[in-house]
Amino acid sequence: MRFEHAPPRRFDLVVGADGLHSNVRRLVFGAESGFSAFIGAYLGVLTLPNASDLDGELLMHVGVGRTVGMYGAQHLGEARALFLFRSERELDYHHRDVPRQKDLLRGAFAGMHAEVDRWLDELDRTPAFYFDSITQLRMDTWSRGRVTLVGDAGYCPGAAVGGSTSLAVLGAYVLAGELARTDGDHERAFPAYERAMAEHVRGSRAVALSAAKTLIPTSRLGVRGLAQGVRLISALPAGPSRALLRLTTKSGRLYDSVRVEDYAPTPGAAPARPPT
């Protein structure tokens, strides 16, 4: 393998786990545009002071086509603001152009509420910021030769709405299990990994499309429905509220129902445990 800023090296296998804008995928499979499907929304996240002294709580403002929430925990000493908004077309920006991304976020949420405006004011001071389209990757295969992909690099279902982190952890576990089972034979392990993950990936994509419609309402009726649902869950004690959330959200049902193989450990290795 040749590198831009390092001498060539040889590897038995290469696993690309470098996210939605994966360079490994680009080098092996081609341009991202050939596999990405924009699902009509954007996500922004920023770190800000926990001025409301939130401790396991979420403050939300919901409008037609846009939702924003702030959450925090006292032991962290800071809070996060999460912004979701709809767009009929893909916006013009580069995924590394942070000033442009902040301008787009301001334009989408300015004037929504005085409290939201105060959160937006932190954009110029925040130590951590993230912005991207909510995009799905749809590839026929995640492996080529001795290279395979894990997580968003290969099968991103949609940031914030499709369970990307859960899917990535599951994928890493299955890939490791199949490589161990075949004694590192990638020609058998990679196809087995893809077969084992295919149903989970399809389910996550469907969940993402549904969750985006719920979390970013397209009508006033949808806004009222989301607000009432959040109030109901908030009014319940922690245990029942979590149970209700699992029962009433497709993502909760999907990941609670996942069953994966308990792979036998390789000689001398600690027993592998399925992700929970």
Side-chain angles (χ1 to χ4, degrees), residues 28-41:
V28 177
F29 294 91
E32 180 179 312
S33 58
F35 311 107
S36 62
F38 175 59
I39 64 173

Side-chain angles (χ1 to χ4, degrees), residues 31 124 234:
D124 293 327
S234 300

